[in-house]
Each structure stands twice: as structure tokens, then as C-alpha cells.
Amino acid sequence: MRRKGTSGNGWLRLPFWLTYLFLYAPIVVLVVMSFNRNKTPYSWGGFSLDWYGKLAGNADIRTGLVNTLIVAFGSTALSTILGTLLAIGLARHTRSKLLDALATLPAILPDLVLAIGLLVFYSAIKMTLGLHSVLIAHTVFGMAFVAAVVRARLTHVDTSLEEASRDLGATPFATFIQVTLPTLAPGIVAGALLAFTLSLDEFVIAFFTAAPSQPTLPIVIYSMVRFGVTPEINALATLLLAVSFTVVIAAQRLTKLTEAL
């Protein structure tokens, strides 16, 4: 016996599945064709892992990967520290809707607007472009995401623990290190993972703020795609996809953990 209200409405699920098909079918094709033996990505010639092996021999990809990891790890460290302090300051010491809006603005602004703004700023202060300029740019929008995640965690923190620590004679710094940071740790880790995956895949801001001699991996991929999609590019995109999915899922699990605690 069908439940009341569900009979005859199966056709409503059709747009839902068509939307998912439209979004994820190209990704599935990309992953499958990365194992294609043929050089052309449009015809299947058998299963092969050769294209993954050739990635290690591509000097441009190695250079782009090293630059991307330097920027990703550096910006993640900076955005985690600054974002955590920003979240604590906004939640505990400053009550201002204007400051709240400014803190989240880098995450809301379109990447193109933020990239042009940063490029104009670098030009105004006569800063040369390089990995340092990309690192600063990624830190700017990464700290906004970290601050948002840490603030969500702060809503579940019992402030009486900090008060008890101070009543027992602990200094504010000792209380921050021994009480506040451990309770915020799941949120901090989740924010750091989110900032890392955003930096790893980010293209627009890096394209505007990087030096031509020091491209990040997404810029290298863009320069290769302009001459046609090959199974080698599919293999590289598949690896990036796997890393991004892993980091995002880990961040989501930690975020749910912070809400449950």
C-alpha cells in the first residue's frame, strides 16, 4: 500500500535526477577517460595507467604542483591563525555588524572582483608578483572561511570553563592555550581543511596575482587545455578531484562533529 501523498508523484523526481546527471556525468566521463589507452580522449582504446605515469615526467606539472603546495600550505597556516583570532575577537570582544560583514566579505565577493582589487592594490604599493602575492591573496579569502567555521564552533563552547580557569589563577594566555584552543580544535581543523582545498583548486585569483614564471597548477592546466584536452589532463584532473573530495568530506565530518559536541 502506497503512503498517502506519494502516489503518482514519481515524475517529480525526474528533474532532480536530470540535474544530477547534467552536473556529474561530465566528471564521470573525465575520470573514466583518464584510464583510456588512446591518445584521443573521445574514443575508448582499453584500460591503461600510462597517463598517470607520464604526469611525473612532465616538468611543467611538477613545477606547478610545487608552487601550488607552497601557496596552499602557507596560506592555510596563515588563514587558520588569522581566521581563528578574527572569529574569537568578533564573538567575544567586539560586537559590530559592520565588522561581521567585512569579515565575511572576501568569501562573498566574486573571485574576479577580489582578484582585480588585489592586483590594483599590489600595483599601487609597487609589489612584484610571485608566489608571495598569491599566498597573500589566498590568505585573504581563506581566513574568511576559517573565521566562519570557528565562529560556528564558538556558539557551542561553554564559557564557564574559561571563567573557571581564570578563577583558579590561570592567566588569560594560559586559559587561551589550555582551554579555549582545545575546545575549538575541531572547528579550527575543519576550517584549515576547507582553506587548503580552496587554495589548491583556486584559479582566477592566482591567474591575476601570480608571476608568469611561477604559475600554480590550475594555471598550468589552463595553459594545457587551450591546446586540447588529452588523457594526461584527465588524469591530472582526476587526481585533483580525489584530493579535493577527500579534504572537503573530512572538513564536513569535522564540522558536523563540532555541532554535535
Side-chain angles (χ1 to χ4, degrees), residues 2-169:
R2 293 182 179 180
R3 293 183 180 179
K4 184 179 180 180
T6 61
S7 59
N9 292 332
W11 62 273
L12 293 175
R13 299 180 182 179
L14 181 61
F16 172 81
W17 291 114
L18 288 177
T19 301
Y20 268 84
L21 181 65
F22 176 78
L23 290 175
Y24 294 107
I27 298 177
V28 173
V29 172
L30 180 147
V31 173
V32 172
M33 297 307 289
S34 69
F35 300 101
N36 184 19
R37 188 180 301 275
N38 284 348
K39 292 183 178 180
T40 59
Y42 308 108
S43 60
W44 180 257
F47 182 86
S48 176
L49 296 174
D50 293 342
W51 299 107
Y52 287 89
K54 291 182 179 180
L55 288 176
N58 191 313
D60 292 335
I61 291 178
R62 290 201 306 269
T63 301
L65 177 61
V66 171
N67 292 338
T68 295
L69 291 178
I70 292 174
V71 172
F73 281 110
S75 63
T76 298
L78 290 175
S79 60
T80 300
I81 295 173
L82 296 176
T84 300
L85 295 177
L86 177 62
I88 295 174
L90 291 174
R92 298 288 178 80
H93 305 289
T94 302
R95 299 289 183 178
S96 172
K97 293 183 178 180
L98 176 61
L99 292 178
D100 286 344
L102 291 176
T104 58
L105 190 61
I108 299 174
L109 282 176
D111 287 351
L112 184 60
V113 175
L114 183 59
I116 294 175
L118 288 169
L119 181 59
V120 171
F121 174 73
Y122 291 156
S123 300
I125 64 175
K126 301 185 184 305
M127 177 189 289
T128 57
L129 299 182
L131 292 183
H132 61 283
S133 58
V134 183
L135 189 149
I136 294 173
H138 283 194
T139 301
V140 168
F141 78 86
M143 64 183 291
F145 290 93
V146 174
V149 175
V150 174
R151 287 198 70 178
R153 173 60 181 169
L154 275 168
T155 59
H156 300 279
V157 173
D158 187 2
T159 57
S160 62
L161 296 176
E162 298 174 354
E163 296 173 357
S165 175
R166 290 191 294 267
D167 291 341
L168 292 174

